[in-house]
């Protein structure tokens, strides 16, 4: 296969949001700088959510100011409510993400409301953001499995994706939050959603709990998805998804894609330096296969 895939580095947000110990703001900034040096052009630098729910992201404003997010259209920040939108606009974000789920039980735990209520809450926020020239991504979590209510049918993902597109999200990131699915289930979701939403607008966001992340990303790319989320070092997880581990590792995905003849514009060694930095400065050891093979 030829062509290119855009990697969206989610390590500084998804990778660190559930960390058990505090992380110095300077270390988060240092990580983002190293990722940029490795050639990462799109990155989720943090979130403006309740610090009671997610204390690790409380310094996102400071991080954004330090890394110059105001001038970086590729920097993205997650928000959950109007207060988050005010904060993110004040710090000059050019791209934001709103997030809901394909399972009501997960939406309730994660953002304190049903899917329908979350869509109602987000619609005016998306409108305000777009009027201010801010691009919006919509996340859908639990596309195959919910930690609270079990398997999720592909048909449950479709109306959520359609609603997010209709309200003005330019991109839909499909979150396999638990990292349990195998490629045939991923294919079923992508095919169902792509019948209603242009495949160019879809991103693959897969966690790697069962080691299926690389296979699932390849399945998504094979089907035509050209935007892939991943976290350096395989860091992370959602605080509201018990038992789930980190995102598929950025270095594993870059190794996969380059080996398959697909360009990412990212330097693998630079990524490994960023992964090593997490171990050295934050005490978070990289778990990726490629890191272990090259630096372990
Ligand atoms: P709530 O408790 O229902 O609502 O939370 P609230 O309005 O009563 O807020 C609770 C407290 O948080 C209040 O403080 C608010 O002021 C404060 P108190 O009055 O008790 O002192 N608060 C805020 N503070 C600062 N900035 C804000 C803000 N908002 C509220 N923006 C709420 C509802 C949506 C706020 C909460 O549930 C929340 O923050 N949820 C976010 C959860 C989250 O960040 N989850 C992880 C990201 S999603 C994810 O990881 C999945 C993904 O990676 C895809 C995948 O893998 O599937 C994207
Ligand atoms: Mg995630």
């Amino acid at each position: 296969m030829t062509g290119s895939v855009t990697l969206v580095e989610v390590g500084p947000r998804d990778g660190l949001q559930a960390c058990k110990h505090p992380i110095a703001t300077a270390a988060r900034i240092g990580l983002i700088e190293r990722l940029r040096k490795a050639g990462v052009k799109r990155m989720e630098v943090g979130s403006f959510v309740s610090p009671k729910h997610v204390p690790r992201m409380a310094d996102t404003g400071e991080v954004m100011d330090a890394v110059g997010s105001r001038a970086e259209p590729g920097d993205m920040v997650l928000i959950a409510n109007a207060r988050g939108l005010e904060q993110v606009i004040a710090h000059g974000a050019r791209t934001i993400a709103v997030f809901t789920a394909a399972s009501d039980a997960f939406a309730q735990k994660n953002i304190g409301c049903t899917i329908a209520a979350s869509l109602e809450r987000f619609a005016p926020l998306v409108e305000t953001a777009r009027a201010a020239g801010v691009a919006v991504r919509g996340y859908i979590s639990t596309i195959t499995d919910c930690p609270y209510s079990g398997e999720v049918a592909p048909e449950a993902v479709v109306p959520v994706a359609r609603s997010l597109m209709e309200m003005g999200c330019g991109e839909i990131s499909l979150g396999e939050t638990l990292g349990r699915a195998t490629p045939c289930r991923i294919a079923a979701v992508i095919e169902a959603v792509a019948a209603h939403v242009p495949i160019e607008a879809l991103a693959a966001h897969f966690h790697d709990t069962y080691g299926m992340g690389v296979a699932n990303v390849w399945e998504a790319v094979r089907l035509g998805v050209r935007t892939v989320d991943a976290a350096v070092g395989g860091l992370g997880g959602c605080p509201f998804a018990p038992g789930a581990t980190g995102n598929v590792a950025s270095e594993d995905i870059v190794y996969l894609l380059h080996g398959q003849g697909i360009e990412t514009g990212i330097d693998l060694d630079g990524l490994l330096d960023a992964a090593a930095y997490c171990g050295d400065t934050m005490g978070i050891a990289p778990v990726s296969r490629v890191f272990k093979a090259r630096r372990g």
Side-chain angles (χ1 to χ4, degrees):
M1 207 184 272
T2 53
S4 65
V5 159
T6 301
L7 184 125
V8 179
E9 171 59 54
V10 297
R13 192 280 301 173
D14 207 343
L16 301 180
Q17 68 183 5
C19 184
K20 299 240 175 338
H21 58 267
I23 298 160
T25 305
R28 266 179 83 193
I29 295 166
L31 173 60
I32 292 167
E33 287 168 350
R34 278 158 184 80
L35 289 165
R36 282 215 215 291
K37 204 170 155 211
V40 171
K41 294 277 184 289
R42 287 192 64 190
M43 190 167 1
E44 204 165 54
V45 297
S47 61
F48 283 109
V49 295
S50 162
K52 288 196 173 142
H53 293 74
V54 186
R56 293 297 158 257
M57 294 291 111
D59 56 352
T60 289
E62 216 179 311
V63 170
M64 284 179 73
D65 293 347
V67 302
S69 292
R70 204 173 274 277
E72 292 283 348
D75 282 10
M76 180 167 66
V77 180
L78 219 67
I79 62 143
N81 56 18
R83 191 156 157 203
L85 181 65
E86 279 164 27
Q87 291 164 303
V88 86
I89 288 181
H91 286 278
R94 313 268 299 272
T95 309
I96 61 165
V98 294
F99 53 107
T100 184
S103 138
D104 268 325
F106 185 78
Q108 283 287 2
K109 294 274 185 195
N110 198 29
I111 47 176
C113 63
T114 60
I115 300 165
S118 72
L119 295 171
E120 258 177 55
R121 187 195 289 170
F122 292 145
L125 305 185
V126 173
E127 202 182 327
T128 307
R130 282 169 46 99
V134 174
V136 187
R137 157 185 270 206
Y139 273 107
I140 308 174
S141 287
T142 61
I143 59 161
T144 59
D145 296 274
C146 168
Y148 310 106
S149 59
E151 280 197 18
V152 174
E155 294 69 39
V157 185
V158 173
V160 188
R162 290 183 66 168
S163 298
L164 288 169
M165 284 300 281
E166 279 160 18
M167 77 171 68
C169 294
E171 183 172 78
I172 307 294
S173 181
L174 299 171
E176 207 287 81
T177 317
L178 299 192
R180 275 187 203 163
T182 51
C184 62
R185 296 185 64 215
I186 293 295
V189 178
I190 291 173
E191 279 163 1
V193 174
H196 301 271
V197 170
I199 198 145
E200 301 75 37
L202 297 182
H205 179 106
F206 302 152
H207 285 259
D208 201 24
T209 317
Y210 282 74
M212 296 294 109
V214 168
N216 288 342
V217 166
W218 183 243
E219 184 67 0
V221 170
R222 207 182 59 74
L223 289 170
V225 173
R226 288 292 174 269
T227 305
V228 173
D229 299 356
V232 66
L235 309 182
C238 174
F240 306 96
T245 63
N247 294 83
V248 66
S250 307
E251 54 272 26
D252 288 355
I253 295 308
V254 166
Y255 184 86
L256 165 78
L257 295 172
H258 290 183
Q260 295 293 92
I262 297 172
E263 288 171 25
T264 65
I266 295 175
D267 172 47
L268 183 59
D269 270 329
L271 267 188
L272 294 172
D273 290 344
Y277 178 84
C278 295
D280 297 343
T281 62
M282 304 178 197
I284 310 174
V287 295
S288 75
R289 305 300 291 251
V290 171
F291 187 88
K292 286 177 184 162
R294 292 276 172 97
R295 304 277 177 101

